[in-house]
Amino acid sequence: MPEEFVSGAPRRADTRARATGSLRGALERRSFWTVFGLLGAFAGLLLLAPTVVVIVTSFTSGYSLKFPPPGYSTRWYEALWTQSPELVDAFLLSLRLAAIATGISVLLAVAAALALARRREAWARVAESMLLSPLMLPALAIGLSLLMLFNLAGLGLSFGTLVIGHVAITTPYILRTTSASLLQMDPSLLESARSLGARPLHVFRTVTLPLIARGIAAGAFIGFMYSFDNVAVSLFLSDARSEALPIRMWHIIESNLDVRAAAVSGVLVTATLILMVVMERVAGVSRHFR
């Protein structure tokens, strides 16, 4: 007769140990996901709460930025279009600034990505790190350093210097996503095109560009949004004739807590959400930052 049937005590003890271990493992897994789930929910609340507060406040019927509002009205949204020509001008200037800076950044970033993405030499890694450094450096330091550089060069502040500053901070985003797209591309496609006698420009136009277009679009979208609402660099590099929308909003809040700033924020949040949905479907923006 087998040993386990001669004496049942050792087998029962082993069964109880396995059951205890299984229960302990289940409790650990459940507590792990509970703790991280609560932390994730808290992080989501921290991110969403300010946006909800400013949108609710933008519909106030009062004359001050007070939460909760004493009543609700669309008067401040109507005031944006009928009584705020300076905000409309600042919005159009920010739109033009972000569009020009993003266009120039696309050209520079795509050229840099084509030159550096597939190279393994040390100089290429150093050059790429320098081009991506604005992602890690404080924007205030970038703005101050560009201001000092323009002063040394004898250049006065203008819309052109503002564009240069925004090109410096938007190019790294496009370089990052374009380089990622190039690294994911099958190199045999390029080798096949070259072996068939295709010229470099033809290979780029018919093979490379279509495959990296989504990466370029994702980086351009992020760069455009970052340029549009940038405060630090614009604060250092704009003059009285090139006051961007974030700077204008800063001034009206600083002077009299103008409720129109909350209405502008509501318009920007809505427009950003719509653009995010469109760009996610068109270019898959989130995939390029995983």
Side-chain angles (χ1 to χ4, degrees), residues 93-167:
L93 186 139
S94 287
L95 204 62
R96 184 159 58 98
L97 170 64
I100 295 174
T102 303
I104 296 173
S105 298
V106 166
L107 295 176
L108 298 177
V110 171
L114 290 172
L116 301 174
R118 293 185 178 276
R119 290 189 173 275
R120 294 291 177 265
E121 295 89 341
W123 69 266
R125 301 282 68 81
V126 172
E128 188 178 42
S129 299
M130 291 179 62
L131 291 171
L132 294 176
S133 60
L135 292 176
M136 295 167 281
L137 294 173
L140 284 172
I142 296 174
L144 178 60
S145 59
L146 286 171
L147 177 63
M148 295 176 65
L149 179 65
F150 292 140
N151 284 335
L152 288 174
L155 297 175
L157 295 181
S158 64
F159 183 74
T161 57
L162 195 57
V163 169
I164 294 173
H166 280 238
V167 168

Side-chain angles (χ1 to χ4, degrees), residues 59-233:
F59 287 99
T60 183
S61 60
Y63 290 88
S64 63
L65 291 170
K66 183 180 179 182
F67 184 85
Y72 293 95
S73 169
T74 59
R75 60 185 302 178
W76 299 110
Y77 284 94
E78 297 170 4
L80 284 182
W81 312 115
T82 59
Q83 306 171 20
S84 311
E86 76 283 6
L87 285 175
V88 174
D89 290 342
F91 172 80
L92 295 176
L93 186 139
S94 287
L95 204 62
R96 184 159 58 98
L97 170 64
I100 295 174
T102 303
I104 296 173
S105 298
V106 166
L107 295 176
L108 298 177
V110 171
L114 290 172
L116 301 174
R118 293 185 178 276
R119 290 189 173 275
R120 294 291 177 265
E121 295 89 341
W123 69 266
R125 301 282 68 81
V126 172
E128 188 178 42
S129 299
M130 291 179 62
L131 291 171
L132 294 176
S133 60
L135 292 176
M136 295 167 281
L137 294 173
L140 284 172
I142 296 174
L144 178 60
S145 59
L146 286 171
L147 177 63
M148 295 176 65
L149 179 65
F150 292 140
N151 284 335
L152 288 174
L155 297 175
L157 295 181
S158 64
F159 183 74
T161 57
L162 195 57
V163 169
I164 294 173
H166 280 238
V167 168
I169 60 173
T170 56
T171 298
Y173 291 98
I174 306 171
L175 174 60
R176 177 73 179 83
T177 56
T178 306
S179 297
S181 298
L182 281 170
L183 291 175
Q184 294 172 2
M185 194 173 65
D186 188 356
S188 63
L189 296 174
L190 300 178
E191 295 172 2
S192 300
R194 293 193 192 101
S195 65
L196 293 173
R199 295 183 177 180
L201 182 59
H202 185 74
V203 173
F204 173 75
R205 185 170 55 82
T206 59
V207 179
T208 306
L209 186 57
L211 293 176
I212 66 173
R214 287 191 168 196
I216 298 173
F221 172 69
I222 300 297
F224 178 88
M225 298 308 298
Y226 185 56
S227 169
F228 188 85
D229 66 356
N230 179 270
V231 175
V233 173

